[in-house]
Amino acid sequence: MHLFNIFTAAFSLLNIGRGVLGVPNPNSEHNLVERQARTTPILTVFPGQAALPTLADIINLNATNGTFLPIQNIQGDILVGMKKQLETFYFFHINDPASFKTALNSYVPTITSTATLLSPASSQPLAFVNIAFSSTGLQALGITDDLGDSQFSSGMYADATNLGDSLSTWESPFAGTNIHGVFLIGTDQLAPQDSYVSFYVSGIVSTFGSSITEVDRIDASARPGDEAGHEHFGFLDGISNPAVAGFSTTVLPGQTVVPSGTILTGRLGDVALRPSWTLDGTFMAFRKLQQKVPEFDAWTLENAIQNPEGTLTVQQGADYLGARMFGRWKSGAPTDITPLVDDPTLGADPQSNNNFDFAHANSSLISDQSRCPFSAHIRKTNPRADLADANTINHAIRAGTPYGPEVSSSEASSNTSTQDRGMAFVEYQSTIGNGFRFQQINWANTANFPPLKTVTPGIEPIVGQGSPRTADGLNPVDPSVGYTVPQFVIPTGGEYFFVPSISAITDVITAS
Ligand code: HEM
Ligand SMILES: *[C@@H]1O[C@H](CO)[C@@H](O)[C@H](O)[C@H]1NC(C)=O
Ligand SMILES: *[C@@H]1O[C@H](CO)[C@@H](O)[C@H](O)[C@H]1NC(C)=O
Ligand SMILES: *[C@@H]1O[C@H](CO)[C@@H](O)[C@H](O)[C@H]1NC(C)=O
Ligand SMILES: *[C@@H]1O[C@H](CO)[C@@H](O)[C@H](O)[C@H]1NC(C)=O
């Protein structure tokens, strides 16, 4: 509570934002549960991930760096990364704009700010809720302003073939522009299973009534036990996200610092002209990416590679191939630092697991793939020293959560997926065409990227799309071998959304 007072005072001093934060609405139906004290925070910092700043740390940024972001007005999921145990995506269509606006106005106290997610656990609600709108959603509400992002305006379905997707694998709720918005509900509460999420979903249903219709729902969750923080292929995730000026209070070794405007619309570094009410919003690229896990496991076994000494078992060779496809071992340890064997201590250490840039003394950046293939997932999506400058505008914050069950024994023994699992992928950036879309099209899907290499890098083997799907450099003994990698990640839907600031919801979105 002490921190809250400092923080509220800090903001009233600066006279920015809404002034009061963390005060539950006494009329809110959620108030009953919000009063239950939490002992753990909503967000979980998984092994290997950057810690979250505290409110006090962020206020101190003002003293040291002269500025900090109005985090009481910025929706909570944007800046924090992949730290959810449970996350539900509730996609909706607006039937009745007028009653939707009235309901949303009453619901605003439940929309969770970044400040709330950084506050002490005991003052956090049971779950966070964020809201985002598609372009057709804003239009349905009578907001016809051009937000200055053409991909957002046309929606992801219209962009799907440009991204390399096959429309035949898109699920019907996402095909078209019928989704007007999405509620994100996130919490750490795993037992009793889903009870907090169900509580918030029923709160949405009772608050919004027939003004909206549920179009689709994805219940995502961190994997169980030791796999928590790992995506379904088994690799630790959420390790490398950029530090954001005005928010991140420490910069980890090897971490890129981006201006706040790379992520937040209207901030320094945002390259587009937009209506002033979009300040402190962001664009969210949502992708439902199905993962063929038993197929990936079988293929890496069938194509197991050898180290230069020839000492690996088939299983070790499969793990080695998988690590080279990602550029990290399953523990998160980067192959650029530990090329031949996994190093779980390194993987779990945020002080060192990003401290590399693919350049080495006595190694040629344009030809040497012995440590990390040019086509590896993390090299294609963040080329570090492969590019002459830091390309900060092409960074984005990844914040997705895995969905679907663990692989069953019958799926494993048949090498065939029978259940839907994958990544409810989320990336936040101020310009879709510079962040997610650039990483997907210009980098992952482009065989000649990174440029100026002595050999063609090939397509990124995990999420790269194109035909043929040939990734080079995976075999360290003979990097000229081209691997035609089956598609283990199938895009099955998605949408581009705008995530407004909380004051934009009250002042613009719900205004008539
Ligand atoms: C199911 C699909 C995907 C899986 C399983 C996956 C998995 C991973 C893993 C394991 C890492 C390494 C951990 C880390 O550095 O945080 C990673 C990093 C990353 N991924 Fe993905 N990813 C997927 C889709 C995508 C897509 C579609 C994009 C963008 C088009 C993307 C962009 C990135 C970026 C930018 C990084 C950080 C690279 C760095 O800074 O070193 N990922 N991903
Ligand atoms: C921010 O720093 C300025 C100058 O250093 C100071 O006058 C101001 O009170 C500080 N604001 C907060 C909220 O700490
Ligand atoms: C603070 O400012 C310095 C100098 O501009 C910069 O190098 C540093 O990265 C900033 N730190 C944060 C956490 O933004
Ligand atoms: C690079 O090569 C030079 C000359 O062969 C050698 O003296 C030096 O120790 C090497 N450096 C590294 C980091 O291997
Ligand atoms: C599954 O893949 C493994 C590895 O390639 C192979 O040994 C096994 O025979 C396959 N099983 C089936 C049922 O196809």
Side-chain angles (χ1 to χ4, degrees):
M1 280 299 121
H2 183 57
L3 278 177
F4 260 53
N5 295 337
I6 297 173
F7 200 69
T8 310
F11 276 106
S12 39
L13 229 154
L14 290 175
N15 196 23
I16 48 177
R18 297 190 302 148
V20 184
L21 51 139
V23 181
N25 177 357
N27 302 318
S28 161
E29 72 213 88
H30 302 297
N31 200 28
L32 187 71
V33 238
E34 281 180 353
R35 278 205 302 267
Q36 291 178 15
R38 269 184 162 277
T39 53
T40 52
I42 291 174
L43 298 176
T44 303
V45 179
F46 293 109
Q49 295 188 342
L52 287 169
T54 65
L55 287 183
D57 292 340
I58 291 187
I59 290 163
N60 282 337
L61 268 187
N62 182 49
T64 55
N65 274 34
T67 181
F68 62 99
L69 292 165
I71 54 173
Q72 88 293 7
N73 194 33
I74 298 170
Q75 290 202 53
D77 193 46
I78 301 168
L79 297 170
V80 298
M82 307 179 77
K83 294 184 166 60
K84 277 83 64 178
Q85 295 273 6
L86 290 181
E87 187 177 23
T88 283
F89 297 81
Y90 186 95
F91 299 96
F92 61 89
H93 180 88
I94 300 167
N95 305 316
D96 177 348
S99 47
F100 174 82
K101 287 181 185 189
T102 306
L104 180 56
N105 207 36
S106 75
Y107 195 75
V108 167
T110 308
I111 308 284
T112 313
S113 71
T114 311
T116 298
L117 288 181
L118 301 184
S119 66
S122 59
S123 45
Q124 293 184 10
L126 295 187
F128 80 77
V129 182
N130 279 7
I131 190 169
F133 297 91
S134 68
S135 176
T136 54
L138 291 182
Q139 281 161 30
L141 296 174
I143 295 161
T144 53
D145 288 351
D146 180 357
L147 266 53
D149 188 298
S150 57
Q151 270 80 43
F152 170 74
S153 301
S154 344
M156 193 184 278
Y157 187 64
D159 204 23
T161 45
N162 300 326
L163 295 169
D165 297 3
S166 161
L167 293 182
S168 66
T169 58
W170 269 54
E171 294 169 359
S172 58
F174 296 100
T177 57
N178 191 43
I179 291 175
H180 284 163
V182 59
F183 287 102
L184 272 55
I185 305 165
T187 185
D188 70 325
Q189 184 70 11
L190 296 166
Q193 181 67 29
D194 286 2
S195 66
Y196 289 5
V197 168
S198 317
F199 182 84
Y200 278 78
V201 169
S202 28
I204 288 168
V205 169
S206 64
T207 305
F208 290 88
S210 59
S211 75
I212 60 173
T213 304
E214 177 184 331
V215 179
D216 197 22
R217 178 174 161 178
I218 301 173
D219 292 314
S221 58
R223 296 183 55 211
D226 289 347
E227 293 298 324
H230 296 242
E231 52 70 45
H232 276 292
F233 293 134
F235 294 81
L236 188 63
D237 208 351
I239 306 167
S240 180
N241 259 328
V244 179
F247 173 72
S248 306
T249 52
T250 50
V251 179
L252 294 168
Q255 194 178 22
T256 302
V257 182
V258 298
S260 50
T262 298
I263 310 300
L264 298 171
T265 43
R267 286 281 157 194
L268 185 73
D270 179 9
V271 293
L273 215 57
R274 313 180 196 279
S276 58
W277 64 266
T278 61
L279 179 66
D280 291 326
T282 192
F283 291 100
M284 165 182 164
F286 174 79
R287 303 274 281 165
K288 189 176 180 195
L289 299 174
Q290 186 181 67
Q291 292 176 247
K292 301 285 192 190
V293 178
E295 290 84 347
F296 174 88
D297 289 342
W299 187 84
T300 49
L301 272 172
E302 275 156 29
N303 294 278
I305 54 178
Q306 248 323 332
N307 61 17
E309 295 76 32
T311 56
L312 299 182
T313 65
V314 173
Q315 182 60 56
Q316 286 170 333
D319 291 344
Y320 187 32
L321 177 58
R324 289 181 62 84
M325 291 164 82
F326 276 95
R328 288 190 188 270
W329 297 88
K330 286 187 174 171
S331 76
T335 64
D336 193 53
I337 297 179
T338 177
L340 297 174
V341 283
D342 196 355
D343 178 351
T345 308
L346 169 62
D349 179 8
Q351 292 297 328
S352 49
N353 63 14
N354 264 307
N355 198 12
F356 62 93
D357 68 0
F358 308 118
H360 297 270
N362 297 357
S363 145
S364 167
L365 196 54
I366 64 167
S367 63
D368 184 0
Q369 303 188 73
S370 62
R371 290 168 176 270
C372 185
F374 300 141
S375 62
H377 182 67
I378 67 158
R379 193 161 184 172
K380 281 275 196 176
T381 56
N382 184 6
R384 303 185 189 222
D386 285 331
L387 294 180
D389 71 41
N391 281 68
T392 56
I393 65 164
N394 299 128
H395 288 259
I397 295 194
R398 290 174 306 124
T401 303
Y403 74 88
E406 293 294 290
V407 172
S408 68
S409 53
S410 66
E411 287 179 295
S413 58
S414 63
N415 301 330
T416 307
S417 302
T418 55
Q419 306 186 81
D420 182 18
R421 68 175 60 75
M423 178 65 72
F425 178 86
V426 170
E427 245 182 355
Y428 294 114
Q429 58 271 294
S430 62
T431 296
I432 294 163
N434 290 341
F436 159 71
R437 193 174 190 271
F438 202 86
Q439 293 171 2
Q440 181 71 53
I441 297 177
N442 300 55
W443 290 354
N445 296 358
T446 299
N448 279 317
F449 183 86
L452 306 173
K453 303 298 184 195
T454 54
V455 292
T456 303
I459 285 181
E460 188 278 334
I462 306 295
V463 299
Q465 306 202 81
S467 183
R469 294 187 77 257
T470 306
D472 296 294
L474 296 180
N475 190 327
V477 176
D478 184 357
S480 70
V481 177
Y483 284 74
T484 303
V485 184
Q487 203 179 354
F488 299 120
V489 172
I490 318 285
T492 58
E495 184 53 286
Y496 296 129
F497 296 96
F498 181 67
V499 191
S501 72
I502 295 171
S503 59
I505 298 173
T506 52
D507 300 349
V508 177
I509 307 242
T510 64
S512 42

